[in-house]
Amino acid sequence: MPALETFLQAIVNGLVLGSFYALIALGYTMIFGVIKLLNFAHGDVYMVGAFVGFGALSLVSGVVGAGWTGLFIAILISMVAVGFLGVIIQRVAYQPMLSAPRLSILITALAVSLVLQNGALSLTHGKYTAFRTDLGFGGFEFGRLFISHQAMVLVATAAVLMIALEFFVSRTMYGRAMRAVSIDKDMCRLMGINVNRVVAITFLIGSALAAAAGTMAGAYYGSIWYFMGFLIGLKAFTAAVIGGIGSITGAMLGGLILGMLESFGTQIPWIGSEWKDVFTFAILILVLVFKPTGLLGKSEVERM
């Protein structure tokens, strides 16, 4: 493939991958910004979203088919169901631990991750599940460059979700409440803000975005697996760190940057696709060494 077409194909692949990373990274950064929790169960919420989306598509395909209409309905059902799952996780596992030491709530997050992961393992017996759709393999060809309809629609869907989130956070009452709670919870309580409700809404939105990413990834790649959330969860966390943990715009930017870097990194002869994970986490180390706050993050003073 000529160099220009290889370059453009890497951009397309990077946008698709970066969109998935960005949607998951938003959940990490929102939850950290509000309650200072690194929710390491978030990757497994993405995995649950993929399976819920698969189940929803299987149900609605008999009525509307498994084409784009069925997929979008499946995405919406997955977002609603897994969003409320995120609220349940927050109420049951995290809310009682908010006043506990940071290490305790971090261990709780790891426990929730194992519960979700092993629950999916028990239900699927560790087998890959084919995520069948009737989307076809159409697209646009420019020489040897191929851009599938799936890639364009899924990237556009991710962009709409991210723009909607930015509007929600910057223009709505609950969005302003989220920003206020992230600065000072105690003052928000004195001002009459229901902090627990704001935290629950944060988990609802973050989990819904992860579910949308999981369903879209299943449709794009064609299969889902109980362990699919582990590595992409770590990479989405890396994207959040690159953009600046706690910054919503930074999470979007970090996801797209990481997707691009990983896509272009695999084109380097001495790296190749088998080294892409090494390349990704090497970038994380460099960011933590030279700019620990990320591209758009802000330094914080630890409160005793």
Side-chain angles (χ1 to χ4, degrees):
M1 185 180 289
L4 178 59
E5 293 176 352
T6 302
F7 176 79
L8 294 176
Q9 191 69 62
I11 290 179
V12 173
N13 296 338
L15 282 174
V16 174
L17 191 58
S19 298
F20 296 149
Y21 288 158
L23 287 175
I24 306 170
L26 284 168
Y28 275 110
T29 204
M30 288 173 64
I31 293 170
F32 180 84
V34 172
I35 62 174
K36 299 298 180 288
L37 165 66
L38 293 177
N39 183 22
F40 286 118
H42 198 61
D44 297 288
V45 172
Y46 157 88
M47 175 270 298
V48 172
F51 277 100
V52 173
F54 167 75
L57 183 61
S58 300
L59 290 175
V60 303
S61 61
V63 180
V64 298
W68 289 112
T69 302
L71 179 60
F72 284 128
I73 293 174
I75 291 173
L76 290 174
I77 292 174
S78 178
M79 289 178 69
V80 172
V82 178
F84 281 105
L85 173 64
V87 174
I88 293 171
I89 291 172
Q90 182 265 330
R91 294 289 190 186
V92 174
Y94 297 147
Q95 185 168 310
M97 303 294 294
L98 290 181
S99 59
R102 292 278 182 86
L103 182 59
S104 299
I105 195 169
L106 181 62
I107 293 172
T108 303
L110 293 174
V112 172
S113 173
L114 291 173
V115 168
L116 295 176
Q117 193 177 111
N118 285 278
L121 171 62
S122 300
L123 293 174
T124 63
H125 305 289
K127 298 178 181 179
Y128 281 88
T129 301
F131 199 114
R132 295 186 178 90
T133 63
D134 294 334
L135 303 181
F137 302 96
F140 297 100
E141 293 186 24
F142 305 93
R144 296 186 180 180
L145 172 65
F146 179 74
I147 305 176
S148 68
H149 293 150
Q150 292 186 41
M152 291 188 294
V153 174
L154 295 180
V155 168
T157 303
V160 168
L161 290 174
M162 288 187 276
I163 292 170
L165 175 65
E166 180 64 29
F167 178 84
F168 175 83
V169 171
S170 60
R171 301 295 180 86
T172 66
M173 179 181 67
Y174 278 111
R176 296 187 184 98
M178 280 183 192
R179 287 183 283 151
V181 170
S182 69
I183 296 172
D184 194 325
K185 295 182 186 60
D186 294 331
M187 183 58 69
C188 288
R189 290 190 178 95
L190 293 175
M191 296 295 292
I193 296 175
N194 189 329
V195 173
N196 289 335
R197 180 181 297 172
V198 172
V199 173
I201 291 173
T202 303
F203 272 84
L204 175 73
I205 295 173
S207 301
L209 292 175
T215 305
M216 289 191 292
Y220 185 75
Y221 293 112
S223 65
I224 53 179
W225 188 40
Y226 83 98
F227 205 61
M228 63 183 286
F230 176 74
L231 186 57
I232 198 170
L234 290 179
K235 289 184 177 180
F237 172 69
T238 301
V241 171
I242 291 174
I245 192 77
S247 169
I248 289 178
T249 306
M252 299 178 192
L253 179 62
L256 294 175
I257 289 175
L258 184 61
M260 289 293 183
L261 288 174
E262 190 170 310
S263 179
F264 280 100
T266 56
Q267 302 300 320
I268 300 174
W270 57 270
I271 290 182
S273 59
E274 67 272 14
W275 285 84
K276 66 177 183 178
D277 295 338
V278 176
F279 182 71
T280 298
F281 294 112
I283 293 170
L284 173 62
I285 294 171
L286 291 174
V287 170
L288 291 175
V289 169
F290 294 104
K291 202 174 191 310
T293 59
L295 297 177
L296 301 180
K298 297 178 181 179
S299 300
E300 293 189 14
V301 178
E302 185 74 17
R303 296 184 180 182
M304 301 302 291

